Amino acid sequence: MSAVVAEHDHDHHDHGPAGGIKRWIVTTNHKDIGTLYLVFALAMFFVGGAMAMVIRAELFEPGMQFVQPQFFNSMTTMHALVMVFGAVMPAFVGLANWMIPMMIGAPDMALPRLNNMSFWMLVAGISLLASTLVMEGGAPASGWTLYPPLVLQTGKALPFAIFSVHLLGISSIMGAINIIATVFNMRAPAMTLMKMPLFVWTWLITAFLLIAIMPVFAGAVTMLLTDKFFETSFFDAAGGGDPVLYQHIFWFFGHPEVYVMILPTFGVASTIIPVFARKPLFGYSSMVYATASIAFLSFIVWAHHMFLVGMPMAGELYFMYATMLIAIPTGVKVFNWTATMWKGSLTFETPMLFSIAFVVLFTMGGFTGLMMAIAPADFQYHDTYFIVAHFHYTLVPASIFILMAAGYFWLPKWTGHMYNEKIGKLHFWLSAVSVNILFFPQHFLGLAGMPRRIPDYAVQFADWNMISSIGGFIFGASQLLFLYIVVDTIKGGTGEKVTDEVWEDASKHGLEWTLPSPPPYHTFTTPPTAIPTEHF
Amino acid sequence: MKITKQLLASLILMAFCLGKAQAEYTLNLMKGVTKVSNDIYDLHMLILWICVFIGIGVFGTMFYSIYHHRKSRGHKAEQFHENTTIEIIWTIVPTLILVSMAIPATKTMLELDDVQDSDISIKVTGKQWYWEYDYLDTGIHIVSRLDEASNKARQTGSGIDPRSIPNYLLNVDHPLVIPTNKKIRFVFTAADVIHSWWVPALGWKKDANPGFINEAWTSVKDAGVYRGQCTELCGKDHGFMPIVVVAMDQPEYDTWVKKTEDDAKKGPDLADQSRDQLIAKGVAIYEKNCATCHLPGGEGVPGAFPALTGSSVVTGDINAQVNLVMNGKNAMPAFGKVLKADELAQVITFTRNALGNAVGDEIQPKAVNDLLPKSATESSTQVTEKESVVSSVDLSKDDLIAKGKSVYESNCASCHQVDGQGMPPTFPALTGSPIVNGEINAQVKFVLNGKGMMPAFGNTLSQADLAAVVTYTRNGLGNSVNDLIQPSSIRALQ
């Protein structure tokens, strides 16, 4: 192993990065592009977070205090779009860029120029979306689902929002093609498919999901565009169309889309937990099959988002049964993570704390998901704060927590500096407690009858909304600690010299820990011969 | 630091509030007042407990491991990473649990779906941002909006404490009234965008889609007032279109029906009024119906809702403006069906002489009334006509068709549509229908006795109306059977 490392040490001086700002604009290096994606995602996390703060401030008390209802709707819409397309997805693409080549022993991504282009199209797409905030008629305010006919009442922003969805879709598809090409063609010879780290597996499956669904979404919004400007009637009953058709198309995209955000999350969790349990991942192959099953099921359950639109009974029953099936592979994953921890030798550094919180809180989101799969019960839950609580549990203390965990886990590798563990733990405990103050009461609100997407509410909902808002403000403020830690670590962190494997015995778990910290600009220019084989 | 203190202070305050307000809010789903809502509640509790039980198992195991298998306690890691038996068990057992959930869920679904044999049918129309209710059997029409007090308090920066308003945001001016212990069928549709009708006490919600019909039913056990809200984002005032259902026992309900029908018979006040009178009365109508979009000052929302101040329509030809207000255009609703002639005259005169406009003209209720579609006025006289003894004098085919058209529009068009195209598959088209184009006596019997969702019109329409409407359907709406039936023949079939 050390021979491999030495080899890289001497050749990274040959092709260093270009100097100045140009390095970041024209770079084709997977590490630089990974950094760009991660920094952009973090910035968007704060932009989307600021919008969430506006929402929680308005909902702090009954009555309208700060904003107009239309702007409130723009905030809920833009918060979702920015968080989904600007923060969570790019963050995982950033992790993929940094880690996949280093995990499979490849020198770079398979298509480096495409890689650069997909990042800058993302920036273009999100900028276009953000520009709608200052347009006549305001930003889109019809919810991130952009349901017609309501979305067609958007002002000047509509074509811009639609074009931005096109750009984001192209960016995602190019990124996905790159990942598939890299995983299939660039693995070190000894790295067979069933030896790949779970993070690589989950991203490979996610990339296929992306290629399948992004064109569907692009098609749906293009139909909105022609309905609005070119006299078509895809979604207009007066011309023979059907507004519910849009919902079918949207959710055929939208349901797999939520798995695009959660499958790489599973992958990172499956990478971190074994390192701090000092044990191999339990049930590696069942993890791979469970991921593939979830991905397959995600394509055949979309109409569980539409139990109320008036489907035939047979359709409702089918979608109910199919949705319930998802609980089985998801359960297998949770059991596997628990079994990985069982009889390990556990330590609780910040990445592990975030990962454990993920397993617990994601499972709670999974439970409410199962409850909503039961169609008649969903007749009560649907479009209330119960579902707001549900999907935030599966996104914030799941995807976001795991992204934080990934940051703490790999920052020492990326920078060569150790982060401040005390502040890291403070960040964790503040986040873990406040996220529950923020979202747990929303279950009560939903069950008590508070609809989602309303700017003002009846007074019996006041107490839990205030508690939820307080949780939201603490959660929002706590994330500034993360920003501080990232900047501090890049600048030198605790000053402690980190080893190549950073975490105790991490080199047993993945190839990236055999490289120096920080890794040279180019790594694995010749493929590694030995790979960690502890699973077999 | 100051913020931290404030947050801490509010947390402590919260703790006090919690103690005080405990009784006011609920943590769990309500049981509701129908059999279905009770079934759904039971289902909810069943799944909840299953989830709690599984959660205790999984999290218990995990926390046991976190406590005992930690490095700081000197625990050495074992290196197992597979166990086929346990993996099979934790796949099979959840599957069985899921089946045990699916069975009661399926039963409740089938029950919810059965809209047959209803006693009353009510059409619910969602509009930006209020609800309209049409009782298909009696013709009662209700427009139901957020009540005045809530509406004033909910304006941004109103300074009114919502806690001082009874049922803030959950109260309306005209509630939906239903009898208890009767099977009530709802048909849902929308005029503009998608809305969703939810009263938690009834146990379900249903989307109202523009151009399509959805169905649901309920049967309320106890008299009372049940409140709910629109649950599908429908634009800026989505949060401000509540639903109130008042369930009454049959005798009170009958009294209510009688009173409402009597009120409906009163036509618009067509007496001439001075311009100042018209403007004075127009203010309130404007605020209630127009200000949500065009804003109280008439400046509109550029890009979405045009300004009325200086608008070419408002300052242009008055008849053109009346036409636009009556018939609507794009997002502008057709107010001809919502407001009476005198109200239309008042609000139009108001917009032309206020909101920064000074056209200096007015329109009288009578003039507006002449521009309104005839069916609206004729239907108000229809009730008296029904009560009078039907003359057995035969009518000409043209008379029958002319009369039939108005009967059709007030009794049939809400389902079969004005042009007879229906709303397949729920409401069949009459154009080209085998019944309408078939044997005439069979059609009459069908109309008299009803079938499935088609109400029995034998009790609600007079013989003359029945003869007229049947003749109209056979010779209008794209049909040309070229025959007719007289009121006397209807009597023979009854």
Side-chain angles (χ1 to χ4, degrees), chain A residues 64 69-70 153 278-279 283 308-309 321 341 343-346 379-383 456 464 504 535, chain B residues 25 44 65 69 71 75 78-81 106 109 128 154 156-157 168 198 200 205 207 214 231 235-236:
Chain A
M64 299 295 297
Q70 180 76 7
Q153 295 180 355
R278 293 168 181 74
K279 261 183 72 191
L308 305 175
V309 301
Y321 300 146
M341 285 159 64
K343 296 199 170 168
S345 177
L346 299 167
F379 285 16
Q380 288 280 34
Y381 308 143
H382 191 90
D383 268 336
D456 192 6
W464 288 122
E504 188 186 359
H535 295 136
Chain B
Y25 57 83
H44 160 74
S65 178
H69 304 150
K71 198 185 175 195
H75 195 270
E78 295 189 14
Q79 294 299 308
F80 64 87
H81 54 77
T106 307
M109 278 303 276
Q128 284 174 322
R154 65 107 175 167
T156 306
Y168 176 61
W198 184 35
K205 57 178 78 71
D207 282 1
N214 276 333
T231 46
K236 72 183 183 70

Side-chain angles (χ1 to χ4, degrees), chain A residues 126-278:
Chain A
I126 294 287
S127 309
L128 198 59
L129 186 65
S131 73
T132 62
L133 278 168
V134 294
M135 284 179 189
E136 200 178 312
S142 55
W144 81 286
T145 51
L146 308 175
Y147 278 4
L150 181 61
V151 72
L152 302 176
Q153 295 180 355
T154 308
K156 295 272 186 288
L158 185 66
F160 294 90
I162 287 172
F163 188 49
S164 110
V165 167
H166 285 154
L167 284 176
L168 296 171
I170 295 169
S171 164
S172 292
I173 291 169
M174 292 196 305
I177 289 172
N178 208 348
I179 285 167
I180 292 172
T182 307
V183 172
F184 280 151
N185 296 303
M186 308 277 285
R187 297 193 313 277
M191 179 69 75
T192 59
L193 284 176
M194 287 310 277
K195 283 184 185 170
M196 291 196 310
L198 243 286
F199 178 67
V200 181
W201 254 118
T202 50
W203 241 119
L204 178 66
I205 292 166
T206 303
F208 277 104
L209 286 186
L210 277 172
I211 290 183
I213 61 171
M214 291 314 291
V216 177
F217 190 27
V221 295
T222 307
M223 286 189 258
L224 290 178
L225 191 77
T226 60
D227 265 14
K228 172 85 177 180
F229 297 104
F230 303 104
E231 309 290 316
T232 59
S233 302
F234 291 109
F235 309 128
D236 179 6
D242 183 351
V244 174
L245 170 67
Y246 175 87
Q247 300 183 21
H248 280 291
I249 303 173
F250 179 86
W251 286 112
F252 186 82
F253 147 81
H255 196 74
E257 168 68 22
V258 304
Y259 289 91
V260 164
M261 293 187 280
I262 204 68
L263 293 184
T265 308
F266 293 164
V268 176
S270 306
T271 308
I272 294 177
I273 292 173
V275 171
F276 296 98
R278 293 168 181 74

Side-chain angles (χ1 to χ4, degrees), chain B residues 419-430:
Chain B
D419 57 1
Q421 295 302 313
M423 286 187 176
T426 316
F427 300 125
L430 297 190

Side-chain angles (χ1 to χ4, degrees), chain B residues 357-416:
Chain B
N357 298 319
V359 187
D361 62 357
E362 77 269 329
I363 190 159
Q364 290 297 341
K366 203 165 173 347
V368 174
N369 199 45
D370 293 341
L371 290 164
L372 278 171
K374 284 290 160 284
S375 64
T377 44
E378 280 178 25
S379 67
S380 59
T381 57
Q382 180 204 316
V383 182
T384 40
E385 200 176 310
K386 191 171 40 176
E387 284 158 2
S388 65
V389 182
V390 180
S391 63
S392 49
V393 179
D394 282 359
L395 297 161
S396 78
K397 189 171 154 200
D398 287 346
D399 285 349
L400 281 169
I401 291 175
K403 185 177 165 60
K405 186 168 187 302
S406 82
V407 177
Y408 179 84
E409 281 168 0
S410 41
N411 292 281
C412 320
S414 57
C415 294
H416 294 295

